[in-house]
Amino acid sequence: MADEFRNFKHLSGVMSNGVDFKIIRRIGGPNTAVVIAPHGGKIEPGSSEIADRIADNDFGFYSFEGMRSSGNGRLHITSSHFDEPIAVAMVRRAKVVVAIHGRKDDGDRATVYLGGLHADLSEAIGRKLEGAGFCTRLNGHKFSGTDPANICNRSNNGMGAQLEIPATLRRVLTQCGKEADLAAFSCAIRAAVNEHL
């Protein structure tokens, strides 16, 4: 299904900040890394919480969050058209960008699909996640994230990493009582990011 809105300007002419969506940002420490959830809140549930945990207080954090009572899928702007100004400014200043997305299970409830133009970082994230007991796939899926216009690739070096996390795994990582799983997942990604700073 095609997106309803071409870009953020189109969306913001119809939807209202603070009513339909909100933007959360946090500047991290001295590191030049940012973790983003461009389809956060109720658009791709769990993606904001996972991105926030990865960023912690060291990396920058950005989330565009749907907050409607229903119909949050309308707020989805595909990554290659995602041009919300705060996100663009944060990403442009960053050396390392990690974008957290949610995907449908589509028969695979556990595998994180990796993409983006920062192949070394994506591979490192895959190795670290596999080492922590998670399943990943770098190739052979439809979420390559290699369009230079993709928000994850608009860093100061023109590349970033994209993670597509299945709905079931997002629910597991963000449910009460699974803090250890989220910590392991986040620490694995943070370790990969730190290797590339």
Side-chain angles (χ1 to χ4, degrees), residues 40-41 44-51 100 170-171 174:
E44 292 172 355
S47 61
S48 297
E49 294 87 344
I50 294 167
I100 302 300
R170 279 180 281 131
R171 282 194 295 272
T174 57

PDB file of all heavy atoms in Angstrom, residues 40-41 44-51 100 170-171 174:
ATOM      1  N   GLY A  40       8.037   5.809  14.514  1.00  0.00           N
ATOM      2  CA  GLY A  40       7.892   5.433  15.905  1.00  0.00           C
ATOM      3  C   GLY A  40       6.478   5.553  16.447  1.00  0.00           C
ATOM      4  O   GLY A  40       5.512   5.767  15.710  1.00  0.00           O
ATOM      5  N   GLY A  41       6.376   5.427  17.750  1.00  0.00           N
ATOM      6  CA  GLY A  41       5.072   5.498  18.406  1.00  0.00           C
ATOM      7  C   GLY A  41       4.169   4.378  17.928  1.00  0.00           C
ATOM      8  O   GLY A  41       4.554   3.214  17.900  1.00  0.00           O
ATOM      9  N   GLU A  44       5.000   2.070  13.903  1.00  0.00           N
ATOM     10  CA  GLU A  44       5.648   0.757  13.979  1.00  0.00           C
ATOM     11  C   GLU A  44       5.973   0.515  15.450  1.00  0.00           C
ATOM     12  O   GLU A  44       7.072   0.817  15.914  1.00  0.00           O
ATOM     13  CB  GLU A  44       6.897   0.722  13.084  1.00  0.00           C
ATOM     14  CG  GLU A  44       6.558   0.797  11.603  1.00  0.00           C
ATOM     15  CD  GLU A  44       7.754   0.956  10.685  1.00  0.00           C
ATOM     16  OE1 GLU A  44       8.891   1.105  11.182  1.00  0.00           O
ATOM     17  OE2 GLU A  44       7.555   0.943   9.453  1.00  0.00           O
ATOM     18  N   PRO A  45       4.979   0.027  16.217  1.00  0.00           N
ATOM     19  CA  PRO A  45       5.107  -0.062  17.677  1.00  0.00           C
ATOM     20  C   PRO A  45       6.378  -0.784  18.125  1.00  0.00           C
ATOM     21  O   PRO A  45       6.772  -1.795  17.558  1.00  0.00           O
ATOM     22  CB  PRO A  45       3.854  -0.847  18.085  1.00  0.00           C
ATOM     23  CG  PRO A  45       2.858  -0.528  17.009  1.00  0.00           C
ATOM     24  CD  PRO A  45       3.669  -0.449  15.747  1.00  0.00           C
ATOM     25  N   GLY A  46       7.001  -0.200  19.139  1.00  0.00           N
ATOM     26  CA  GLY A  46       8.209  -0.762  19.707  1.00  0.00           C
ATOM     27  C   GLY A  46       9.482  -0.167  19.140  1.00  0.00           C
ATOM     28  O   GLY A  46      10.533  -0.221  19.786  1.00  0.00           O
ATOM     29  N   SER A  47       9.406   0.413  17.948  1.00  0.00           N
ATOM     30  CA  SER A  47      10.630   0.926  17.327  1.00  0.00           C
ATOM     31  C   SER A  47      11.213   2.099  18.106  1.00  0.00           C
ATOM     32  O   SER A  47      12.440   2.204  18.250  1.00  0.00           O
ATOM     33  CB  SER A  47      10.397   1.299  15.860  1.00  0.00           C
ATOM     34  OG  SER A  47       9.427   2.308  15.727  1.00  0.00           O
ATOM     35  N   SER A  48      10.367   2.957  18.651  1.00  0.00           N
ATOM     36  CA  SER A  48      10.857   4.102  19.444  1.00  0.00           C
ATOM     37  C   SER A  48      11.567   3.635  20.704  1.00  0.00           C
ATOM     38  O   SER A  48      12.656   4.117  21.036  1.00  0.00           O
ATOM     39  CB  SER A  48       9.708   5.023  19.850  1.00  0.00           C
ATOM     40  OG  SER A  48       9.087   5.592  18.738  1.00  0.00           O
ATOM     41  N   GLU A  49      10.943   2.698  21.408  1.00  0.00           N
ATOM     42  CA  GLU A  49      11.514   2.213  22.666  1.00  0.00           C
ATOM     43  C   GLU A  49      12.858   1.525  22.437  1.00  0.00           C
ATOM     44  O   GLU A  49      13.801   1.694  23.217  1.00  0.00           O
ATOM     45  CB  GLU A  49      10.545   1.247  23.343  1.00  0.00           C
ATOM     46  CG  GLU A  49       9.245   1.888  23.814  1.00  0.00           C
ATOM     47  CD  GLU A  49       8.158   1.947  22.767  1.00  0.00           C
ATOM     48  OE1 GLU A  49       8.463   1.773  21.564  1.00  0.00           O
ATOM     49  OE2 GLU A  49       7.000   2.177  23.127  1.00  0.00           O
ATOM     50  N   ILE A  50      12.946   0.761  21.354  1.00  0.00           N
ATOM     51  CA  ILE A  50      14.197   0.066  21.051  1.00  0.00           C
ATOM     52  C   ILE A  50      15.283   1.072  20.676  1.00  0.00           C
ATOM     53  O   ILE A  50      16.414   0.995  21.163  1.00  0.00           O
ATOM     54  CB  ILE A  50      13.972  -0.978  19.936  1.00  0.00           C
ATOM     55  CG1 ILE A  50      13.037  -2.084  20.442  1.00  0.00           C
ATOM     56  CG2 ILE A  50      15.307  -1.566  19.465  1.00  0.00           C
ATOM     57  CD1 ILE A  50      12.495  -2.986  19.351  1.00  0.00           C
ATOM     58  N   ALA A  51      14.947   2.032  19.829  1.00  0.00           N
ATOM     59  CA  ALA A  51      15.919   3.050  19.438  1.00  0.00           C
ATOM     60  C   ALA A  51      16.394   3.855  20.644  1.00  0.00           C
ATOM     61  O   ALA A  51      17.588   4.157  20.780  1.00  0.00           O
ATOM     62  CB  ALA A  51      15.310   3.975  18.388  1.00  0.00           C
ATOM     63  N   ILE A 100      16.023   2.430  13.184  1.00  0.00           N
ATOM     64  CA  ILE A 100      15.256   1.287  13.686  1.00  0.00           C
ATOM     65  C   ILE A 100      13.857   1.334  13.074  1.00  0.00           C
ATOM     66  O   ILE A 100      13.137   2.329  13.221  1.00  0.00           O
ATOM     67  CB  ILE A 100      15.167   1.319  15.228  1.00  0.00           C
ATOM     68  CG1 ILE A 100      16.560   1.316  15.846  1.00  0.00           C
ATOM     69  CG2 ILE A 100      14.326   0.151  15.731  1.00  0.00           C
ATOM     70  CD1 ILE A 100      17.411   0.107  15.514  1.00  0.00           C
ATOM     71  N   ARG A 170       9.712  -7.263  18.221  1.00  0.00           N
ATOM     72  CA  ARG A 170       9.528  -5.948  18.860  1.00  0.00           C
ATOM     73  C   ARG A 170       8.667  -6.061  20.114  1.00  0.00           C
ATOM     74  O   ARG A 170       8.948  -5.431  21.126  1.00  0.00           O
ATOM     75  CB  ARG A 170       8.902  -4.958  17.873  1.00  0.00           C
ATOM     76  CG  ARG A 170       9.901  -4.344  16.903  1.00  0.00           C
ATOM     77  CD  ARG A 170       9.237  -3.373  15.957  1.00  0.00           C
ATOM     78  NE  ARG A 170       8.560  -4.069  14.875  1.00  0.00           N
ATOM     79  CZ  ARG A 170       7.313  -3.841  14.472  1.00  0.00           C
ATOM     80  NH1 ARG A 170       6.561  -2.932  15.060  1.00  0.00           N
ATOM     81  NH2 ARG A 170       6.797  -4.520  13.471  1.00  0.00           N
ATOM     82  N   ARG A 171       7.619  -6.872  20.036  1.00  0.00           N
ATOM     83  CA  ARG A 171       6.762  -7.064  21.218  1.00  0.00           C
ATOM     84  C   ARG A 171       7.539  -7.725  22.345  1.00  0.00           C
ATOM     85  O   ARG A 171       7.427  -7.326  23.505  1.00  0.00           O
ATOM     86  CB  ARG A 171       5.529  -7.894  20.852  1.00  0.00           C
ATOM     87  CG  ARG A 171       4.456  -7.124  20.127  1.00  0.00           C
ATOM     88  CD  ARG A 171       3.138  -7.878  20.090  1.00  0.00           C
ATOM     89  NE  ARG A 171       3.226  -9.114  19.325  1.00  0.00           N
ATOM     90  CZ  ARG A 171       3.031  -9.202  18.018  1.00  0.00           C
ATOM     91  NH1 ARG A 171       2.753  -8.121  17.315  1.00  0.00           N
ATOM     92  NH2 ARG A 171       3.109 -10.373  17.405  1.00  0.00           N
ATOM     93  N   THR A 174      10.045  -5.290  24.054  1.00  0.00           N
ATOM     94  CA  THR A 174       9.495  -4.140  24.783  1.00  0.00           C
ATOM     95  C   THR A 174       8.459  -4.517  25.836  1.00  0.00           C
ATOM     96  O   THR A 174       7.886  -3.630  26.471  1.00  0.00           O
ATOM     97  CB  THR A 174       8.870  -3.119  23.800  1.00  0.00           C
ATOM     98  OG1 THR A 174       7.869  -3.766  23.003  1.00  0.00           O
ATOM     99  CG2 THR A 174       9.935  -2.544  22.877  1.00  0.00           C
TER     100      THR A 174
END
